[in-house]
């Protein structure tokens, strides 16, 4: 067995042992096995990635087994290892390993820890299946596996109605996207006669210009297939229209949120578009759609993130916005920049989510930022970790000197969009700059509300309950002393505590990635010469001309993102540090806009009116009129009624008198004779 076998199958083996054997091995063994499996996979993944960076590795395909042979359809289970796969391997295994370790502390009091860790490992295996796929069916297998595992993890606390609803919502919305992906695979097999990714990409240029009938129209074949595939990517990566499941995924435990948003599931769509980038390059129309949807998603999620008060939801909408960046980068032809932002985003977004989890842990499960304040002195390690994540996502840096991870990857996307020659590249550029400003504002807003200013803990019901339980163990004099202190400093007598080492260690390691990932790896991803050499060992289409043009854009373009970041930072500082009532006054002044953002552009209401209410109406119609009124009435209920009537009639006929039976026999004889006479 090779390293790639251990990387892919160790999480699966660990998931099976922890999940099926939880009653026999216990929680400690389940946690140990799954976490060890992921750390081994991560340690094996990094040498592969570094090998492609320094040129010592070349792309290869590792067979596993013969899978399907049915007529003209034939494919094996194979593990493809190239530069694109290597990037995803380190992202998935590293973040997942740290999430596993983090969960030791965060889920310590949960009675179902073995099941939780089994789901995490299963989730990771499904994603690894997806990124190592050498054919579309295997990719779809991993695609659906990730969807299943996400359903299990989002609804992990299944006794909570909101968690169940969120899990169902994620499952249903993703099925819509998956239908597009399936149709795309069917169309590709019809056109190319194979599902092998290398064969499809090699034959794609020869199919340019062909047309196909679809929904009564004659359309360009490659455009249709690419758009269908992109619909699948929209579902998994929560792009506008199929985004509604992502914020609700916060109902799962915080480690789940970090894993879904940083390393798995949401990155699947971006990976698929980049893996099939030579196919997408055959249709400018499809690329235009990708650009428009990605850019619009970036600005949509950024505007909604402005008004969120739940700390996890702010970061969730940030994920949605950053995914929009990745897609419009791909739509403008900068696939290397898209993958670079995916790479750096994994580190600082996992850091932000796990940091938020540490804050929630310290604040007795309180998630509303309005009830935080002044926490930097109480949980300093968490504060500095989240500060590093904020500096990374807002793109803090100095041109020509260096900066945090987002300074390299996000700026590369904005510059590439400006330099691109695609149809809507300026739309992507403009939206990218505006979204950078909004990202800076809501990110610093989160930091100011959480860690700065005066404590507002006494307004939190969670803190009040915690202190009530605490006061039950003390006499009334102590209670009065605490109450007096609460009225004076806003703490309610509560003392936040730093997280245990199992939660802080992942934060420290992710901080390193958030600080240095951009500086260390930017040449391999987006430099014209180094990038061409790196991506040559993959299927990704690397536009050397665009990368050259990207580095030669005007100075004001290079500074635009930094200026936007500074404007967002300054605005957030004055609104949340210098003037306490400024947010309320602004919301009152721009009430309709505020409500529009707060209602998430009314997508939920629109979907409720267009899809949910009609679906329930038809469901009730078929249930009451079809099922009860027709099927039950004339089926089982009707049969039962007929049998009952016949039984009652038979009982009445069974009188016990001889003349009654003689009469019946006579009638039967008359009917029989009459029937014989008619036949003759």
């Amino acid at each position: 067995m090779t390293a790639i076998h251990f990387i892919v199958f160790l999480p699966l083996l660990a998931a099976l042992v922890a999940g099926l054997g939880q009653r026999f091995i216990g929680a400690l063994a389940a946690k140990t096995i799954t976490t060890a499996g992921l750390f081994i996979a991560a340690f094996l993944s990094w040498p592969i990635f570094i090998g492609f960076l320094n040129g010592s590795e070349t792309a290869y395909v590792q067979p596993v087994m013969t899978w399907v042979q049915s007529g003209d359809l034939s494919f094996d289970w194979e593990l493809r290892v190239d530069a694109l796969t290597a990037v995803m391997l380190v992202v998935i295994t590293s973040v997942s390993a740290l999430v596993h370790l983090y969960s030791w502390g965060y889920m310590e009091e949960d009675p179902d820890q073995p099941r939780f860790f089994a789901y995490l490992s299963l989730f990771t295996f499904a994603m690894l299946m997806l990124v190592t796929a050498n054919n579309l069916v295997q990719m779809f297998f991993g695609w659906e596996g990730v969807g299943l595992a996400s359903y299990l993890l989002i609804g992990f606390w299944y006794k909570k109605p909101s968690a169940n609803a969120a899990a169902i919502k994620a499952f249903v919305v993703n099925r819509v996207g998956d239908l597009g992906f399936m149709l795309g695979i069917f169309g590709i097999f019809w056109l190319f006669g194979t599902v092998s990714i290398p064969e499809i990409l090699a034959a794609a240029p020869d199919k340019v210009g062909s047309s196909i009938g679809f929904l009564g129209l004659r359309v360009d074949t490659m455009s249709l297939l690419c758009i269908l595939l992109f619909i699948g990517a929209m579902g998994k990566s929560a792009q506008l229209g199929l985004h509604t499941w992502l914020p609700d995924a916060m109902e799962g435990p915080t480690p789940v949120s970090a894993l879904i948003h940083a390393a798995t599931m949401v990155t699947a769509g971006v990976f698929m578009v980049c893996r099939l980038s030579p196919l997408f390059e055959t249709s400018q129309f499809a690329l235009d759609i990708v650009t428009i949807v990605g850019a619009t998603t970036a600005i949509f999620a950024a505007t909604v993130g402005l008004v969120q008060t739940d700390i996890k939801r702010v970061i969730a909408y940030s994920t949605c916005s950053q995914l929009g960046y990745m897609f419009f980068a791909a739509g403008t032809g900068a696939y290397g920049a898209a993958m670079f932002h995916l790479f750096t985003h994994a580190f600082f977004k996992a850091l932000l989510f796990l940091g938020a989890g540490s804050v929630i842990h310290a604040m007795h499960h309180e998630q509303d930022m309005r009830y935080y304040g002044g926490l930097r002195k109480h949980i300093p390690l968490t504060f500095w970790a989240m500060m590093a994540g904020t500096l990374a996502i807002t793109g803090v840096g100095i041109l020509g000197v260096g900066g945090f991870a987002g300074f390299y990857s996000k700026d590369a996307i904005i510059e590439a969009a400006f330099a691109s020659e695609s149809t809507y590249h300026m739309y992507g550029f403009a939206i990218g700059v505006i979204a950078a400003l909004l990202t800076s504002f809501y990110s610093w807003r989160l930091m100011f509300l959480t860690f700065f200013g005066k404590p507002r803990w006494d307004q939190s019901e969670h803190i009040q309950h915690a202190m009530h339980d605490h006061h039950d163990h003390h006499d009334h004099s102590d209670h009065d002393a605490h109450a007096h202190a609460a009225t004076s400093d806003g703490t309610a007598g509560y003392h936040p505590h730093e997280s245990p080492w199992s939660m802080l260690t992942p934060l420290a390691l992710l901080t390193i990635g958030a600080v240095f990932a951009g500086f260390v790896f930017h040449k391999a991803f987006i430099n014209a010469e180094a990038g061409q050499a790196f991506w040559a060992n993959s299927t990704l289409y690397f536009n050397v001309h665009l990368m050259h043009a990207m580095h030669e854009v005007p100075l004001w373009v290079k500074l635009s993102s930094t200026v936007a970041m500074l404007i967002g930072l300054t605005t957030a500082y004055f609104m949340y540090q210098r003037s306490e009532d400024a947010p309320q006054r602004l919301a009152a002044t721009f009430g309709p806009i505020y409500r529009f953002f707060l209602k998430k552009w009314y997508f939920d209401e629109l979907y409720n009116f267009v899809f949910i209410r009609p679906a329930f109406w038809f469901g009730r119609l078929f249930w009451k009129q079809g099922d009860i009124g027709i099927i039950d009435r004339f089926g089982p209920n009707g049969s039962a009624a007929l049998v009952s009537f016949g039984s009652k009639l038979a009982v009445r006929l069974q009188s016990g008198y001889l003349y009654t039976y003689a009469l019946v026999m006579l009638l039967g004889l008359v009917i029989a004779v009459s029937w014989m006479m008619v036949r003759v």
Side-chain angles (χ1 to χ4, degrees), residues 37 85 202 237 352 374 395 412 424 475 477 627:
T85 305
S237 296
L352 288 171
Y424 297 98
D475 58 29
S477 61
D627 192 18

Coordinates of all heavy atoms in Angstrom, one line a residue, residues 37 85 202 237 352 374 395 412 424 475 477 627:
G37 N -5.9 8.8 13.4 CA -6.0 8.5 12.0 C -5.9 9.7 11.1 O -5.2 9.8 10.1
T85 N -4.9 17.8 -6.5 CA -5.2 16.9 -5.4 C -4.4 17.2 -4.2 O -4.9 17.2 -3.0 CB -5.0 15.4 -5.8 OG1 -5.8 15.2 -7.0 CG2 -5.5 14.5 -4.8
A202 N -9.4 15.9 -22.6 CA -8.6 15.8 -23.8 C -9.5 16.0 -25.0 O -9.1 16.6 -26.0 CB -7.9 14.5 -23.9
S237 N -21.3 24.7 -2.8 CA -20.5 25.8 -2.3 C -21.4 27.0 -2.0 O -20.9 28.1 -1.9 CB -19.5 26.2 -3.4 OG -18.5 25.2 -3.6
L352 N -11.0 31.3 12.6 CA -12.1 32.2 13.1 C -13.2 31.3 13.7 O -13.8 31.7 14.8 CB -12.6 33.0 11.9 CG -11.7 34.1 11.5 CD1 -12.2 34.8 10.2 CD2 -11.5 35.2 12.6
G374 N -15.2 43.4 26.2 CA -14.2 43.4 27.1 C -13.5 42.1 27.4 O -13.0 41.8 28.5
G395 N -7.2 41.0 4.8 CA -6.1 41.3 3.8 C -5.2 42.4 4.2 O -4.8 43.2 3.4
A412 N -4.9 39.0 -5.1 CA -4.6 38.3 -6.4 C -5.9 38.2 -7.2 O -5.9 38.4 -8.5 CB -4.0 37.0 -6.2
Y424 N -17.3 39.9 -18.2 CA -17.8 40.7 -17.0 C -16.7 40.8 -16.0 O -17.0 40.8 -14.8 CB -19.0 39.9 -16.4 CG -20.2 39.9 -17.4 CD1 -20.4 38.8 -18.1 CD2 -21.0 41.0 -17.5 CE1 -21.5 38.7 -19.0 CE2 -22.1 41.0 -18.3 CZ -22.3 39.8 -19.1 OH -23.4 39.8 -19.9
D475 N -24.3 31.5 50.1 CA -25.4 32.2 50.9 C -25.8 33.5 50.3 O -25.3 34.0 49.3 CB -24.9 32.4 52.4 CG -23.6 33.3 52.4 OD1 -23.4 34.1 51.5 OD2 -22.8 33.1 53.4
S477 N -25.7 36.5 51.4 CA -24.7 37.7 51.5 C -23.8 37.7 50.3 O -23.5 38.8 49.7 CB -24.0 37.6 52.8 OG -23.2 36.4 52.9
D627 N -55.2 10.4 -1.1 CA -54.9 9.3 -0.2 C -56.1 8.9 0.6 O -56.6 7.7 0.5 CB -53.7 9.6 0.7 CG -53.2 8.4 1.4 OD1 -53.5 7.3 1.0 OD2 -52.5 8.6 2.4

